[in-house]
Amino acid sequence: VVLVLREVLRWSAKEVADVLDTSVASVNSALQRARATLDELDLEDDEAPTRPSTDEESRLLEQYLEAFAEYDIDRIVALLRYDVVFDMPPLPLWIRGPEEVSAFMLGPGAACRGSKLIATSANGLPAFASYKPDPESGAWLPWSVTLLEAEAMGGATNARVTGVHHFLAPFLPNLFRSFGLPGHLGDADPVVSR
């Protein structure tokens, strides 16, 4: 747990200590033991998944945004790896595989059709902010910040999305403000902003 919180989520030792109700020294000690355990596993380089380059991630994000802006589910699914995970914490929605993602996006997720998007990054990953159309006001309102995890698949144009993680603004009222994103978009704003 300490390894994931510190190394993956990039929490500070104090934040981890607070969550786990322990001391910073205990967190640092646990992290040191976890790193030593990983070193002992002596994984071969070809066993570890490779992450796409920044350029590959940028191209993948651009392709995903274009497909999403057109709500072209076939194009979105073509960008997903066979075991992609699609979730919306804190909702109990956890989907695995392109077919399930397609079914969701054509079903309950279809409410996002017509959204406007702003490219960004979060936690070192390509991401985008999504604004859903609000028929009552005529504006596009903050809906989610979505992070795309990706893995290189053996070529500059073969990166695939392995995770689509939506963090929903209704559950995180300061989410968009913390990214410096506008509080709403209007008719004059482009469908996709970079």
Side-chain angles (χ1 to χ4, degrees), residues 109-148:
C112 290
R113 185 185 309 268
S115 293
K116 292 190 177 194
L117 313 170
I118 297 177
T120 187
S121 65
N123 291 351
L125 297 173
F128 64 92
S130 174
Y131 292 78
K132 280 177 54 174
D134 178 31
E136 291 182 22
S137 69
W140 282 259
L141 302 179
W143 177 247
S144 72
V145 172
T146 301
L147 283 64
L148 299 179

Side-chain angles (χ1 to χ4, degrees), residues 68-73 105-106 109-115 132-133 140:
F68 195 96
E70 295 171 18
Y71 217 72
D72 186 335
I73 304 306
M105 292 184 80
L106 291 170
C112 290
R113 185 185 309 268
S115 293
K132 280 177 54 174
W140 282 259

Side-chain angles (χ1 to χ4, degrees), residues 94-115:
W94 191 89
I95 297 170
R96 184 173 211 119
E99 297 79 18
E100 294 296 320
V101 171
S102 175
F104 176 80
M105 292 184 80
L106 291 170
C112 290
R113 185 185 309 268
S115 293

Side-chain angles (χ1 to χ4, degrees), residues 16-181:
V16 175
D18 290 345
V19 166
L20 299 178
D21 196 27
T22 189
S23 68
V24 171
S26 294
V27 166
N28 290 333
S29 177
L31 180 59
Q32 186 176 9
R33 287 191 311 275
R35 287 178 178 157
T37 300
L38 285 178
D39 288 343
E40 288 173 15
L41 294 175
D42 194 31
L43 295 173
E44 295 295 323
D45 287 340
D46 60 352
E47 291 180 34
T50 57
R51 185 164 170 200
S53 70
T54 303
D55 289 340
E56 288 174 300
E57 287 182 342
S58 294
R59 278 192 296 277
L60 190 60
L61 176 61
E62 185 175 317
Q63 292 171 341
Y64 195 97
L65 289 176
E66 287 172 2
F68 195 96
E70 295 171 18
Y71 217 72
D72 186 335
I73 304 306
D74 290 337
R75 280 178 49 205
I76 290 173
V77 166
L79 298 172
L80 305 178
R81 200 171 73 171
Y82 70 93
D83 60 348
V84 65
V85 171
F86 182 101
D87 58 13
M88 291 184 184
L91 297 177
L93 174 70
W94 191 89
I95 297 170
R96 184 173 211 119
E99 297 79 18
E100 294 296 320
V101 171
S102 175
F104 176 80
M105 292 184 80
L106 291 170
C112 290
R113 185 185 309 268
S115 293
K116 292 190 177 194
L117 313 170
I118 297 177
T120 187
S121 65
N123 291 351
L125 297 173
F128 64 92
S130 174
Y131 292 78
K132 280 177 54 174
D134 178 31
E136 291 182 22
S137 69
W140 282 259
L141 302 179
W143 177 247
S144 72
V145 172
T146 301
L147 283 64
L148 299 179
E149 284 185 276
E151 180 178 284
M153 301 293 285
T157 59
N158 290 333
R160 290 288 176 259
V161 175
T162 59
V164 183
H165 310 290
H166 304 81
F167 295 89
L168 305 180
F171 295 103
L172 301 162
N174 295 319
L175 179 66
F176 275 55
R177 186 175 22 248
S178 70
F179 278 88
L181 294 163

